[in-house]
Amino acid sequence: MEVSLEVLGSTARALRVTVPQQQFVEQVENRLRQLSRTLRIKGFRPGKIPVQVVRQRHLPQVYGEVVEKLANDSLREALAAEKVQPVVDPRVTVEEYGEDRPMKYQARFDVYPELAESRVSGLTLVEPEAAVEDAEVEEGMERLRRQSVEWKAVERPAATGDQVAFQYATCGMDETLAEIVEDSPDMALVLEPGTMLEELHEHLTGMSTGDEKSAQVAFTERADGHPLSGQTRQFRVRVQEVREAVLPDWEDSAWLTQCGGAGATRETIRDSVHAHLDYRRVEMQREYLVGQITQGLAAGKEPALPVPESLREWCLSVRVKEMGIPPEQELGRDHPIHQMALSDAQRITAFQALRASSGAEPTEEDQKRIETAYAGQFKDSAAARRNARQNPDVRGHLQREATWDAIIRWVLEHATVKKERMTLEQLGERTGR
């Protein structure tokens, strides 16, 4: 087998492979003999079909099977011989084949870029120093109470924090708004700021049971491609009921058991909330540093880490599938999903290149620390720990986190680092969480 590797660009490669004629002929003859023993052809006894008859009737099929098998098998050997690892499966183009000549094909693929240590030393990073504050733990405990909220109907105007049940009609700005009738759709919303429906919440605030109102509602811009993002629509709403929140009491033993398991107390729940927030803190610190590293290496006209195009396309296909977008739907280059896919590809490229150049691998201590922090968020930490070891998705996620920690340590040793104190809220704002 003859193999030659061609460098087409910073990450693009082409592998040209020639499979000897004799190898192709042998594979064809072997497959023909197999089919002669297994095919059923009228006029011939099973297992007694002449090879020549099979050749006359099934040669194109056999050629196709042999070409595919030889390409798959020889490509693995060729990649190993050239010591290259494609980012995604190569695109193979068979150029010629036959029993009278060698089989030739070309495989195009991307590899991850190599990273010079000097490019890492040129980075300037902000290392966050954040700790879980008592006030943040208390807010977390209040969030737990709100998750078990019961709603009680009240006879007063709706205020922030209330739940409003209402019927509605809606249409575009160039359409005629319908009247609300008995079978109009209904909805219940908790009035709170910072949501996509914030403007609708503002219209519902101050309304009482039986009130009706027409309004224009502008939906907040979102980066996830939501169909109503940035649109303005007409609404007519009729309030059916205003409800206020009734939160569970910390002295309610049944709720404490439901919330934290048998024997739970306010203090044990507080410890669990603290552990959850501390795990979130560590995740956000990691995310903030990874974001800076990735963007720093991807910035500029000649980035230290150019993103392989095939990886970006793969990330786009994953995002499209996750968001339930039909594959046939055309997505313009300005669609937010393209930026998401690019960010995903940049992160993966940084991970692979930094891991290769640094040789950084998580220690056993890193893995135990990540696993312990993960399990500590749950009321049954032992079960969570077992799940972390047995569930391949969870195990893979925690392994990547531990590996990123090892990579980050290496980067911080080489880059210019400025430390900055910040709260969890500030860290969340910087990471978009």
Side-chain angles (χ1 to χ4, degrees):
M1 182 174 69
E2 297 178 8
V3 180
S4 64
L5 181 65
E6 183 180 354
V7 176
L8 304 178
S10 57
T11 64
R13 303 289 185 270
L15 199 64
R16 298 183 183 278
V17 181
T18 300
V19 179
Q21 173 188 349
Q22 185 59 33
Q23 192 172 348
F24 185 86
V25 171
E26 289 174 357
Q27 290 284 339
V28 169
E29 293 298 331
N30 288 340
R31 184 57 180 149
L32 288 172
R33 283 194 293 271
Q34 289 175 357
L35 290 175
S36 73
R37 294 190 294 267
T38 58
L39 282 177
R40 290 183 177 274
I41 298 178
K42 189 175 181 180
F44 296 93
R45 286 185 297 165
K48 299 295 184 179
I49 303 172
V51 171
Q52 190 58 34
V53 173
V54 179
R55 174 181 283 275
Q56 289 172 352
R57 298 191 181 194
H58 296 281
L59 190 59
Q61 170 195 330
V62 169
Y63 274 4
E65 293 175 358
V66 169
V67 165
E68 182 176 0
K69 184 178 187 306
L70 280 176
N72 288 337
D73 293 346
S74 62
L75 181 57
R76 285 194 294 270
E77 294 179 23
L79 291 170
E82 294 295 329
K83 298 180 180 179
V84 288
Q85 181 63 50
V87 171
V88 298
D89 290 340
R91 296 185 297 274
V92 175
T93 303
V94 178
E95 297 171 337
E96 61 176 293
Y97 62 90
E99 293 178 80
D100 59 344
R101 58 192 182 278
M103 172 181 155
K104 296 182 179 181
Y105 67 88
Q106 179 185 157
R108 286 179 176 253
F109 55 92
D110 284 308
V111 296
Y112 288 109
E114 295 182 356
L115 180 64
E117 187 176 306
S118 59
R119 301 301 293 267
V120 177
S121 60
L123 294 175
T124 299
L125 306 175
V126 173
E127 183 179 8
E129 293 184 329
V132 177
E133 305 291 343
D134 289 343
E136 292 165 333
V137 176
E138 292 300 324
E139 173 58 27
M141 294 175 73
E142 281 305 299
R143 282 196 297 272
L144 272 181
R145 292 179 71 207
R146 290 196 291 271
Q147 289 172 7
S148 301
V149 67
E150 295 182 359
W151 296 101
K152 175 185 175 182
V154 292
E155 295 297 327
R156 60 167 174 77
T160 299
D162 287 340
Q163 184 186 72
V164 179
F166 60 95
Q167 288 182 290
Y168 69 94
T170 184
C171 67
M173 296 302 296
D174 57 348
E175 301 172 83
T176 301
L177 188 62
E179 296 292 331
I180 294 178
V181 294
E182 186 176 344
D183 62 349
S184 292
D186 55 20
M187 183 187 299
L189 291 176
V190 177
L191 305 185
E192 54 189 357
T195 72
M196 184 179 180
L197 295 169
E198 183 170 8
E199 196 166 306
L200 179 58
H201 291 195
E202 292 174 359
H203 288 295
L204 291 169
T205 301
M207 295 181 69
S208 301
T209 302
D211 288 353
E212 188 169 325
K213 176 191 286 188
S214 296
Q216 294 181 9
V217 176
F219 289 87
T220 306
E221 288 277 2
R222 289 171 48 148
D224 61 1
H226 192 285
L228 293 179
S229 174
Q231 287 194 24
T232 300
R233 294 183 65 85
Q234 300 181 73
F235 269 85
R236 180 172 285 124
V237 297
R238 179 187 294 161
V239 176
Q240 297 168 298
E241 194 169 67
V242 177
R243 305 160 186 158
E244 69 179 6
V246 179
L247 300 176
D249 194 284
W250 284 110
E251 303 303 319
D252 184 343
S253 59
W255 178 72
L256 287 173
T257 299
Q258 175 189 341
C259 184
T265 65
R266 180 169 183 163
E267 286 309 307
T268 61
I269 289 177
R270 191 181 194 284
D271 291 342
S272 178
V273 170
H274 188 284
H276 174 78
L277 290 176
D278 199 50
Y279 182 68
R280 181 169 176 264
R281 173 190 63 82
V282 172
E283 279 193 314
M284 289 193 298
Q285 286 179 326
R286 182 186 303 113
E287 184 69 28
Y288 185 48
L289 284 165
V290 169
Q292 292 180 77
I293 293 168
T294 300
Q295 291 304 313
L297 295 174
K301 292 183 178 179
E302 295 184 6
L305 289 178
V307 173
E309 182 62 19
S310 58
L311 177 63
R312 189 196 61 78
E313 292 173 355
W314 179 81
C315 290
L316 179 62
S317 69
V318 171
R319 283 283 186 176
V320 166
K321 185 176 181 180
E322 287 178 346
M323 296 175 67
I325 299 174
E328 65 275 9
Q329 181 176 333
E330 292 187 11
L331 300 172
R333 296 295 296 187
D334 58 344
H335 194 287
I337 199 170
H338 283 283
Q339 183 55 48
M340 296 179 196
L342 177 59
S343 297
D344 295 340
Q346 288 173 337
R347 185 187 183 98
I348 294 171
T349 302
F351 179 87
Q352 296 292 350
L354 285 165
R355 188 178 187 181
S357 61
S358 67
E361 292 291 344
T363 63
E364 186 176 340
E365 183 180 332
D366 287 332
Q367 294 168 335
K368 286 182 178 179
R369 184 186 68 254
I370 293 288
E371 183 182 291
T372 299
Y374 167 80
Q377 306 175 85
F378 301 93
K379 57 184 177 184
D380 189 344
S381 59
R385 192 184 294 274
R386 286 194 299 274
N387 183 52
R389 293 172 180 174
Q390 298 170 5
N391 186 313
D393 291 335
V394 176
R395 188 171 65 246
H397 172 70
L398 297 182
Q399 178 68 24
R400 283 189 296 275
E401 286 189 333
T403 304
W404 262 121
D405 283 354
I407 290 171
I408 288 170
R409 280 199 302 272
W410 180 82
V411 172
L412 292 177
E413 290 173 359
H414 293 78
T416 301
V417 181
K418 302 176 182 177
K419 296 183 182 292
E420 183 179 335
R421 289 283 303 171
M422 58 185 74
T423 65
L424 286 189
E425 182 178 359
Q426 291 170 329
L427 189 54
E429 289 173 355
R430 298 198 188 189
T431 58
R433 292 193 176 193

